[in-house]
Amino acid sequence: MNIRKEFLPFSRPSIGEAEIQGVVTCLKSGWITTGAICKTLEDRFCELTGASGAVTLSSATAGMHLMLKLLELQPGDEILTPSMTFASTVNMILLHGAKPVFADIEYGTLNVNAACLEEKITPRTRAIIPVHFAGAPVDMDAVNLLARRYRLAVIEDAAHAVGTYYKGVHAGGFGHPAIFSFHPIKNITTGEGGLVSLNDPDLEKKLRLARFHGIERDAWKRYGKGGNPSYDIVEPGYKYNLPDLLAALGVAQFDRWRELNDRRRMLAQLYRDGLKGTVGLDLPQVPAYDHVHAWHLLIVKITGMPRDLFMQKLADYNIGYGLHFPPAHELSCVKARTGSSGPLPETERAADKIISLPLFPDMAETDVQYVCEAIKEILKNV
Ligand SMILES: *Cc1c(COP(=O)(O)O)cnc(C)c1O
């Protein structure tokens, strides 16, 4: 086969005229930091998730930091999460002085296994942070049952989950705080940004305060005509607000989420059809329960050769790739602080084989076909 001239990246945001217009309109409006456009994005997420509140933030990581703090998790508390997650969650747990405890996953979906979560619960366990991995929902009935039985908080990591439904309920619709990310590789983006949806007006109020110095009123009210520019701070807060300039991009992206996800779903299906039966790789599996997959990532597992070699060969074909994720229990900072979490056989089985293939709405069907052909050629002698 002919090698393509142009590099095919693993991800690229889909930015249309509406996004550009939205940002330009905001730039010309005279108000570019947190204000009415953030509120619009928050309202959209309340409608999407069914949560009573939503708060925009500078990142999902900021959301995780604030939720750990506001749930009053104490140093020494154990927080259950899969090792197959992004390091940001584990960083926040460690920086909070709490202890990450890792539960094993299901090899097929890379989602946390509820039975493995239960095995790791101790009297010190305070919270579960499940991840809707690659856009496939976690078994939330099982997680909710554990949360009720052992009185644990749940924080959904919904960074991959705009458009993810579990049994008809969107991520964030289960009564728990859920954290969404708008980093450029995510299904919708604000450049950088995040949002927490939640169902507790009291917690929401605390979150809004913590997001902006602990100052009572929003800036756009303070600086409005007749506003009172004075303020008081009862609890010191952080500086984690999202500017309207970025939220303008987010609102225009949000308005396209179905179209963008439909396109991802179609491309994912092309991959799954195109690679079906290929010896030397395992295709992603989807959960057995009723769900809608957001297809944030298309992750295959390379079984026919060392992954490093496979990556080199993909690069030779001018194809980009990602790695989601190096397992958290093997990070040096985790090993140094918490020691072993015990065996995580399925995580370890998947960890050195996973690779994320190019998947983004603006890629062509022929790009997917090219990647499939290249992969079959790379693996043809195994
Ligand atoms: C991207 C990501 C995050 C962090 O999102 P930011 O907005 O970059 O802070 C957290 N968890 C998972 C699973 C992610 O993929």
Side-chain angles (χ1 to χ4, degrees):
M1 66 186 278
N2 290 325
I3 296 194
R4 59 185 283 147
K5 298 272 179 312
E6 200 193 337
F7 178 65
L8 177 66
F10 135 76
S11 175
R12 192 172 68 203
S14 173
I15 307 295
E17 266 318 299
E19 281 85 341
I20 293 167
Q21 276 316 311
V23 173
V24 169
T25 303
C26 177
L27 277 171
K28 290 179 175 169
S29 73
W31 190 270
I32 59 174
T33 189
T34 311
I37 307 178
C38 281
K39 178 73 169 63
T40 300
L41 189 55
E42 290 168 354
D43 291 345
R44 296 271 208 282
F45 268 85
C46 288
E47 280 165 40
L48 177 69
T49 59
S52 64
V55 179
T56 52
L57 294 155
S58 53
S59 69
T61 305
M64 187 61 72
H65 179 194
L66 296 183
M67 289 324 300
L68 293 175
K69 207 170 160 65
L70 295 175
L71 292 174
E72 295 175 7
L73 297 170
Q74 306 297 326
D77 284 349
E78 293 179 2
I79 304 193
L80 272 177
T81 191
S83 168
M84 189 53 70
T85 188
F86 185 44
S88 62
T89 300
V90 180
N91 278 343
M92 291 304 107
I93 295 171
L94 290 175
L95 287 169
H96 200 69
K99 183 181 174 197
V101 176
F102 299 112
D104 209 0
I105 52 168
E106 280 158 20
Y107 178 83
T109 61
L110 303 174
N111 261 331
V112 73
N113 177 322
C116 298
L117 279 172
E118 187 163 21
E119 281 168 18
K120 298 286 178 86
I121 293 173
T122 77
R124 298 234 52 175
T125 309
R126 292 286 313 281
I128 305 176
I129 306 179
V131 186
H132 301 298
F133 207 91
V138 166
D139 186 353
M140 287 304 293
D141 284 345
V143 169
N144 289 335
L145 195 69
L146 290 179
R148 277 198 302 275
R149 185 176 296 158
Y150 296 95
R151 296 169 162 274
L152 305 174
V154 175
I155 306 171
E156 282 175 64
D157 183 338
H160 301 175
V162 170
T164 295
Y165 290 82
Y166 172 78
K167 299 183 180 174
V169 179
H170 194 279
F174 302 94
H176 315 297
I179 303 181
F180 295 87
S181 170
F182 307 134
H183 179 278
I185 85 157
K186 305 297 154 83
N187 286 31
I188 65 171
T189 185
T190 60
E192 291 283 358
L195 176 142
V196 175
S197 67
L198 69 186
N199 280 280
D200 177 340
D202 208 44
L203 195 61
E204 182 187 341
K205 194 170 165 224
K206 288 182 186 157
L207 181 58
R208 285 186 191 282
L209 285 172
R211 146 179 100 163
F212 194 73
H213 309 292
I215 290 177
E216 276 289 340
R217 272 153 300 177
D218 291 334
W220 59 299
K221 289 183 191 150
R222 273 190 293 128
Y223 294 126
K225 183 177 169 186
N228 181 354
S230 178
Y231 58 79
D232 186 29
I233 293 175
V234 179
E235 281 295 326
Y238 296 83
K239 179 65 167 69
Y240 279 165
N241 56 308
L242 185 74
D244 268 12
L245 192 54
L246 300 186
L249 175 52
V251 170
Q253 285 265 286
F254 184 94
D255 289 344
R256 294 176 61 211
W257 79 259
R258 283 174 204 280
E259 166 211 328
L260 295 172
N261 279 18
D262 284 349
R263 178 83 188 153
R264 284 177 177 276
R265 183 169 307 110
M266 194 274 279
L267 296 168
Q269 191 59 47
L270 270 186
Y271 268 120
R272 291 158 77 213
D273 292 342
L275 292 173
K276 202 168 171 180
T278 306
V279 177
L281 70 74
D282 291 337
L283 284 170
Q285 282 168 18
V286 297
Y289 38 80
D290 173 40
H291 72 284
V292 179
H293 201 307
W295 288 109
H296 169 54
L297 297 168
L298 193 297
I299 302 175
V300 297
K301 291 141 192 139
I302 303 305
T303 57
M305 65 170 61
R307 181 183 52 200
D308 283 354
L309 181 61
F310 183 82
M311 284 177 172
Q312 265 175 37
K313 293 194 182 278
L314 274 186
D316 291 342
Y317 281 93
N318 246 338
I319 297 169
Y321 46 80
L323 176 46
H324 303 90
F325 297 96
H329 73 285
E330 285 175 3
L331 297 172
S332 300
C333 65
V334 172
K335 283 203 218 156
R337 282 174 177 79
T338 67
S340 165
S341 254
L344 298 166
E346 295 304 289
T347 303
E348 271 153 29
R349 180 154 80 99
D352 62 353
K353 299 182 184 71
I354 49 176
I355 180 167
S356 307
L357 300 179
L359 180 64
F360 54 93
D362 291 348
M363 70 190 284
E365 284 96 316
T366 49
D367 293 334
V368 176
Q369 283 156 6
Y370 175 84
V371 178
C372 291
E373 273 178 50
I375 289 176
K376 285 182 190 160
E377 200 149 293
I378 294 169
L379 292 172
K380 72 170 181 268
N381 292 324
V382 305

